[in-house]
Amino acid sequence: MCTVVIDVADAGPARLLAVRDEDPQRDWDALGEWWPEAYPGVSGIRDRRAGGAWMAMNPASGRLAVLLNRADVTDLPEERAQSRGSLALESVMGRSPSGVLPMHGFNLLEVGPEETRVISWDGAELRTSAVPPGTHMIAHDDLDDEVTPRIRTWLPRFRALGPTAASADWAEEWTALLAESAALAPEDDRAIIRDNRPHGYPTQSLLYAVASVSPDGVVVRDHALPSPAHWDH
């Protein structure tokens, strides 16, 4: 149940803040070039168990991708489900998912030189939606979906900060707002820094990343939280 806030400029550059929720018992590696043979030049935040990536970036192509879980509308047996970990890696190589996928649901945020878009799979239908200029938020539902309490609560606050292109300190301003959101209890469904166990999932917020994608390149800075679901920096 990860969360991404993204600001897309009219000319195409995008800046984003992404929070990763995962089972703390599932080991992971910070941003690095973990796939030199299969994905040369690609950096990502790696899931050690399946070997894939939650977030990936490719400076050569000017692409970045972030993977978020989404609920299924069909029942896919676990023994038939393929890992979604290759999606972000394939995306930054210019290969987006297509067709019928033997995977659980996801939202794949793709940021590239041509456009920013979300590819959504719910187990039955694959949809692609362009992300228009402006500030937006996505989690486990649709883009800017007010059904999601954290989007309903915090998207107006991020939008009130104004376009990121107008501030050299946008990353600090967005991170400060993320810190303010952490005053909510992590099990509160409005929280961005989350503990999802009371909601029936083992996942907790483990890290956040700040990224920018522009003609000048792709820049990502990742930050592990001091303990799962706790901001205390």
Side-chain angles (χ1 to χ4, degrees), residues 76-135:
L76 177 64
E78 288 298 329
E79 64 271 15
R80 290 177 48 203
Q82 294 182 6
S83 171
R84 293 164 288 192
S86 64
L87 291 169
L89 295 167
E90 289 289 309
S91 172
V92 299
M93 298 298 288
R95 299 187 288 266
S96 299
S98 61
V100 177
L101 303 168
M103 298 176 177
H104 290 302
F106 62 80
N107 287 323
L108 179 66
L109 177 66
E110 296 188 322
V111 186
E114 298 87 13
E115 66 173 340
T116 297
R117 63 184 187 174
V118 177
I119 299 178
S120 298
W121 169 250
D122 61 7
E125 180 185 10
L126 191 69
R127 295 183 291 113
T128 300
S129 306
V131 179
T135 301

Side-chain angles (χ1 to χ4, degrees), residues 26 52 64 134 149 168 194:
R26 188 161 181 151
L64 180 143
R194 303 180 60 78

Side-chain angles (χ1 to χ4, degrees), residues 196-219:
N196 294 304
R197 292 174 296 178
H199 306 290
Y201 305 94
T203 56
Q204 300 176 65
S205 297
L206 303 181
L207 66 96
Y208 71 95
V210 177
S212 62
V213 182
S214 72
D216 295 327
V218 183
V219 178

Side-chain angles (χ1 to χ4, degrees), residues 44-216:
I45 295 173
R46 181 175 67 167
D47 172 63
R48 291 184 189 172
R49 183 184 300 176
W54 164 69
M55 170 185 283
M57 59 176 282
N58 186 348
S61 65
R63 297 179 185 275
L64 180 143
V66 186
L67 179 67
L68 305 94
N69 290 349
R70 186 183 180 104
D72 293 330
V73 298
T74 59
D75 292 325
L76 177 64
E78 288 298 329
E79 64 271 15
R80 290 177 48 203
Q82 294 182 6
S83 171
R84 293 164 288 192
S86 64
L87 291 169
L89 295 167
E90 289 289 309
S91 172
V92 299
M93 298 298 288
R95 299 187 288 266
S96 299
S98 61
V100 177
L101 303 168
M103 298 176 177
H104 290 302
F106 62 80
N107 287 323
L108 179 66
L109 177 66
E110 296 188 322
V111 186
E114 298 87 13
E115 66 173 340
T116 297
R117 63 184 187 174
V118 177
I119 299 178
S120 298
W121 169 250
D122 61 7
E125 180 185 10
L126 191 69
R127 295 183 291 113
T128 300
S129 306
V131 179
T135 301
H136 306 276
M137 236 174 135
I138 189 167
H140 55 280
D141 294 308
D142 291 336
L143 186 72
D144 301 336
D145 197 333
E146 293 191 355
V147 170
T148 309
R150 79 198 90 148
I151 292 178
R152 185 171 62 249
T153 302
W154 294 103
L155 180 56
R157 296 290 308 280
F158 279 100
R159 284 178 169 167
L161 293 174
T164 55
S167 174
D169 299 321
W170 73 270
E172 290 75 15
E173 293 168 359
W174 277 27
T175 302
L177 187 52
L178 179 62
E180 180 183 334
S181 80
L184 290 170
E187 64 272 12
D188 189 319
D189 215 15
R190 298 169 298 169
I192 301 175
I193 302 297
R194 303 180 60 78
D195 183 346
N196 294 304
R197 292 174 296 178
H199 306 290
Y201 305 94
T203 56
Q204 300 176 65
S205 297
L206 303 181
L207 66 96
Y208 71 95
V210 177
S212 62
V213 182
S214 72
D216 295 327

